[in-house]
């Protein structure tokens, strides 16, 4: 994005389309293909993993990536996203009078900034913010994957707190589930899961959480965008040719400039 671009104008232009706004600040990637489906630009790796059957865990891959880390470079954009998310939360619960002892919990980096900014907008109900941290309990070895667990260290959850777990992108809900268990263990109550994008192919508007074997809770999912993105195993026929050619970026955030350069080159070839 050009340094002289007016962020306020971009927000106003795309205020009702979060993915368009994210794209306008260079935070959205989609593989460029020709009419026959051949990919000019790389596939991208997702956070979700699967058991490859040989003791290895491999990432799922896909053609679309929403990099909300780019929004964190522009506080006004993050402020806008958080405000829109807070308004959706208010609408879901029927007003702020129903929200007391409210805590926005951000698991790891993907939710930290968003949870804090959303708590800022919710200040009228005296909302708090808390970060769920991850600690390594056993390092990876040849025969054992890295072991970790979530915990509340810097911040605390108190009995009676009503918690909204807040993340940028929602997909397989594995971390979300772990944080929910931690919240309930500390006496809090998870009342919603909130995110900027729910791209899950499985879970749309409700997450079913087994608090214990005799009680299942229906937790609402509140997102600015609910848009499933296809994901594939690395040996899927649809992507295996590109995987063999190495036409994939498994850590898209770390190699974001590589993906942007690939898009630019593809556009030059098409023009």
């Amino acid at each position: 994005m050009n340094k002289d671009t007016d962020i306020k104008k971009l927000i106003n232009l795309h205020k009702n389309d979060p993915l368009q706004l994210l794209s306008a600040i260079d935070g959205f990637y989609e593989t460029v293909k020709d009419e026959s489906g051949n990919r000019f630009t790389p596939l991208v790796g997702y956070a979700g993993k699967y058991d490859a059957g040989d003791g290895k865990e491999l990432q799922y891959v896909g053609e679309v990536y929403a990099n909300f880390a780019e929004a964190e470079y522009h506080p006004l954009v993050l402020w806008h996203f958080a405000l829109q998310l807070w308004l959706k939360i208010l609408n879901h619960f029927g007003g702020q009078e129903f929200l007391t002892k409210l805590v926005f919990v951000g698991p790891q980096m993907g939710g930290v900034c968003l949870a804090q900014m959303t708590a800022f907008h919710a200040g009228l109900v005296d909302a708090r913010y808390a970060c769920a941290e991850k600690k390594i309990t056993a390092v990876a070895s040849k025969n054992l994957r890295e072991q970790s667990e979530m915990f509340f260290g810097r911040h605390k959850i108190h009995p009676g707190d009503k918690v909204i777990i807040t993340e940028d992108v929602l997909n397989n809900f594995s971390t979300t589930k772990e944080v929910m268990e931690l919240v309930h263990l500390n006496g809090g109550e998870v009342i919603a899961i909130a995110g900027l994008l729910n791209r899950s192919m499985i879970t749309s508007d409700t997450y079913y959480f087994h608090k214990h074997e005799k009680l299942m809770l229906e937790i609402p999912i509140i997102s600015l965008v609910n848009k499933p993105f296809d994901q594939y195993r690395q040996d899927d026929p649809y992507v295996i040719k590109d995987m063999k050619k190495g036409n994939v970026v498994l850590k898209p955030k770390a190699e974001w400039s590589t993906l942007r350069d690939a898009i630019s080159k593809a556009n030059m070839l098409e023009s």
Side-chain angles (χ1 to χ4, degrees):
M1 186 178 63
N2 192 298
K3 291 181 180 179
D4 298 325
T5 299
D6 189 327
I7 294 296
K8 290 183 179 179
K9 288 181 179 179
L10 286 179
I11 293 172
N12 187 59
L13 183 63
H14 303 296
K15 60 184 178 182
N16 296 320
D17 193 332
L19 292 186
Q20 276 297 112
L21 177 54
L22 187 65
S23 181
I25 60 169
D26 290 339
F28 189 79
Y29 171 83
E30 187 165 6
T31 303
V32 178
K33 297 181 287 187
D34 63 19
E35 294 179 356
S36 300
N38 297 309
R39 298 181 181 91
F40 289 132
T41 61
L43 294 163
V44 288
Y46 291 148
K49 296 181 180 180
Y50 63 93
D51 187 343
D54 56 359
K56 294 181 180 178
E57 251 191 354
L58 296 180
Q59 287 174 259
Y60 285 101
V61 299
E63 298 177 319
V64 181
Y65 198 87
N67 184 4
F68 283 101
E70 293 296 307
E72 295 167 10
Y73 287 121
H74 306 286
L76 282 178
V77 175
L78 190 63
W79 183 94
H80 171 75
F81 283 152
L83 175 58
Q84 299 308 307
L85 186 59
W86 169 237
L87 292 176
K88 289 200 74 168
I89 292 169
L90 274 181
N91 182 65
H92 177 86
F93 286 102
Q96 63 189 42
E97 64 270 19
F98 297 99
L99 299 171
T100 57
K101 294 197 70 176
L102 187 61
V103 184
F104 289 87
V105 170
Q108 304 186 74
M109 290 310 299
V112 166
C113 293
L114 179 62
Q116 193 165 42
M117 190 71 82
T118 310
F120 169 82
H121 285 301
L124 291 176
V125 296
D126 194 26
R128 291 170 36 229
Y129 156 77
C131 174
E133 304 169 63
K134 183 175 82 168
K135 63 180 176 182
I136 307 301
T137 57
V139 297
S141 66
K142 183 177 180 181
N143 300 312
L144 182 69
R145 70 189 64 163
E146 179 185 276
Q147 304 294 304
S148 65
E149 63 181 32
M150 304 298 294
F151 74 105
F152 287 108
R154 188 179 183 89
H155 305 128
K156 302 297 181 184
I157 296 297
H158 306 297
D161 282 345
K162 293 182 179 179
V163 171
I164 297 180
I165 298 176
T166 310
E167 302 183 65
D168 52 358
V169 179
L170 304 167
N171 182 32
N172 60 17
F173 295 88
S174 58
T175 300
T176 310
K177 179 178 181 293
E178 190 176 351
V179 175
M180 291 176 73
E181 292 170 345
L182 185 61
V183 167
H184 285 275
L185 185 65
N186 282 267
E189 175 191 0
V190 176
I191 62 170
I193 299 166
L196 299 179
L197 168 67
N198 179 11
R199 72 168 192 84
S200 174
M201 302 289 294
I202 301 170
T203 308
S204 176
D205 55 8
T206 305
Y207 182 85
Y208 297 94
F209 174 65
H210 292 269
K211 188 173 182 180
H212 51 73
E213 61 181 23
K214 293 184 178 180
L215 179 61
M216 182 175 70
L217 303 178
E218 296 184 8
I219 309 297
I221 299 170
I222 304 168
S223 60
L224 288 190
V225 179
N226 187 359
K227 186 175 183 179
F229 292 161
D230 290 327
Q231 62 181 21
Y232 308 93
R233 289 172 55 111
Q234 295 184 26
D235 57 359
D236 190 292
Y238 184 66
V239 300
I240 194 167
K241 182 170 69 173
D242 286 87
M243 293 302 304
K244 287 181 176 179
K245 290 193 304 182
N247 188 33
V248 58
V249 171
L250 291 176
K251 295 182 178 180
K253 281 191 176 75
E255 299 184 57
W256 197 245
S257 59
T258 299
L259 294 173
R260 303 312 306 171
D261 290 345
I263 290 286
S264 297
K265 290 177 182 178
N267 290 336
M268 289 176 63
L269 289 173
E270 287 185 322
S271 61

